[in-house]
Structure formats: structure tokens, C-alpha cells
């Protein structure tokens, strides 16, 4: 009887320590790493961890839409703050729009991941072909989030600041 009690108690402890996947349909992301590459083109990549309770975080293969949105902030030496980099976009008809510089991309479904409305979690690697708005900006950071196919917006995460020479 004593061994049965000890075995039951041990099993209870082990199963109680296992973290169950979230069933929350609102995705969450966590920043893990940012790396730059030394090349003639300013390449970089993010490594993020994700969790989504209904498995619809990724953009579908057949109709990929941007679901990763990242805003660029530069260190303003005059104010001592990180300010959003403002850019002016000029359209073919001559009209323009002034807005924050953003990096958007479509993070697609990994081929080996079954997304049949069940909780998913893991790590994703997001390559960037342009990681800052100007070579003159040396100190910067990012704020980013993801949007799932149902329109649920994840938490907004902020990276540490980076200095590039």
C-alpha cells in the first residue's frame, strides 16, 4: 500500500509539472535572438518562439498574406529616446503617405506541422533582407507582433537595442 501511495504521488507530481499548451486563440510570441550577416547586402534574422491555441497563426500557402509586422526604432541622440523611423512613400499616381518604417512578411505554415485547429507552439526563424532603414543609423531596436488568420493580434514584443558599425 505504501508503494502504491508513493507511486501515485510521484505520478501526480510529474503530470502536474508538465505545461499544457494554451487553448487561447490569441497567439503569443517571445523574442529569442536577432543576428546580422556580414555581406554586401544588409541581411539579418529574428528567432522567435510562438504559441497559438487554435493553430491558425501561419499564413496559408495558397494565399500568403503578411502576418508578421515589425516597426523600426532608432536611437535619437538629441532626445536620448528611441523614436520610430518615419518614411515617405510616393505612389505611382504622385500621391504620398508618411508613415512609420515597417518590415512585413508572410510567415507560412511549416510543411510538417498539422494545423487542424489544435494548439501549436515552437520556434520560427524570420529572415530579413533589409533590417534597418538607413546605413547611417547605428543604434536601433524593433517592436513586433503577429496576426493569425482569424485576425487575432499577438502580444507586442520589443527587442533589446543593437549597435551596428
Amino acid at each position: 500500500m505504501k508503494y502504491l501511495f508513493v507511486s501515485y504521488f510521484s505520478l501526480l507530481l510529474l503530470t502536474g509539472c508538465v505545461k499544457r499548451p494554451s487553448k487561447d486563440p490569441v497567439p503569443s510570441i517571445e523574442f529569442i535572438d536577432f543576428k546580422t550577416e556580414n555581406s554586401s547586402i544588409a541581411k539579418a534574422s529574428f528567432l522567435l518562439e510562438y504559441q497559438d491555441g487554435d493553430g491558425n497563426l501561419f499564413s496559408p500557402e495558397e494565399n500568403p498574406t503578411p502576418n508578421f509586422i515589425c516597426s523600426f526604432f532608432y536611437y535619437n541622440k538629441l532626445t536620448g529616446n528611441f523614436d520610430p523611423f518615419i518614411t515617405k512613400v510616393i505612389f505611382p499616381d504622385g500621391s504620398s503617405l508618411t508613415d512609420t518604417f515597417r518590415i512585413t512578411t508572410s510567415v507560412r505554415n511549416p510543411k510538417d506541422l498539422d494545423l487542424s485547429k489544435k494548439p501549436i507552439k515552437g520556434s520560427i526563424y524570420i529572415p530579413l533582407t533589409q533590417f534597418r532603414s538607413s546605413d547611417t543609423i547605428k543604434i536601433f531596436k524593433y517592436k513586433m507582433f503577429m496576426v493569425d488568420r482569424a485576425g487575432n493580434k499577438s502580444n507586442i514584443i520589443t527587442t533589446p537595442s543593437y549597435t551596428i558599425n
Side-chain angles (χ1 to χ4, degrees):
M1 183 70 167
K2 178 180 174 184
Y3 296 109
L4 181 63
F5 178 73
V6 171
S7 298
Y8 176 73
F9 186 70
S10 298
L11 183 63
L12 186 62
L13 270 176
L14 288 174
T15 58
C17 295
V18 174
K19 189 174 179 182
R20 290 180 175 39
S22 171
K23 300 258 188 211
D24 188 350
V26 177
S28 65
I29 59 174
E30 181 182 341
F31 175 77
I32 302 299
D33 199 12
F34 172 75
K35 292 188 179 184
T36 60
E37 293 180 25
N38 291 331
S39 66
S40 59
I41 301 171
K43 291 182 181 181
S45 62
F46 290 115
L47 180 61
L48 305 177
E49 286 189 351
Y50 66 88
Q51 185 165 260
D52 187 30
D54 57 2
N56 66 351
L57 179 61
F58 299 107
S59 188
E61 280 295 321
E62 64 276 1
N63 186 19
T65 55
N67 59 348
F68 172 78
I69 297 91
C70 179
S71 297
F72 181 82
F73 291 78
Y74 71 97
Y75 182 72
N76 184 332
K77 292 179 184 177
L78 297 175
T79 64
N81 296 321
F82 281 91
D83 295 333
F85 186 83
I86 306 298
T87 186
K88 186 174 186 176
V89 179
I90 301 173
F91 298 101
D93 67 358
S95 63
S96 65
L97 172 69
T98 303
D99 199 0
T100 304
F101 176 78
R102 288 188 181 87
I103 299 167
T104 61
T105 191
S106 176
V107 181
R108 296 185 186 175
N109 179 34
K111 294 187 187 317
D112 61 342
L113 186 61
D114 176 23
L115 298 180
S116 52
K117 296 188 177 191
K118 57 185 173 184
I120 58 172
K121 69 183 218 173
S123 299
I124 50 177
Y125 165 82
I126 302 173
L128 306 172
T129 54
Q130 180 182 6
F131 68 90
R132 57 183 169 165
S133 52
S134 168
D135 288 344
T136 61
I137 296 175
K138 304 297 183 190
I139 304 172
F140 56 91
K141 65 181 178 179
Y142 301 93
K143 287 187 180 182
M144 61 191 80
F145 63 93
M146 291 186 73
V147 179
D148 69 13
R149 290 190 303 258
N152 296 315
K153 180 180 166 183
S154 77
N155 55 312
I156 298 172
I157 56 176
T158 304
T159 69
S161 62
Y162 295 96
T163 303
I164 304 287
N165 293 326

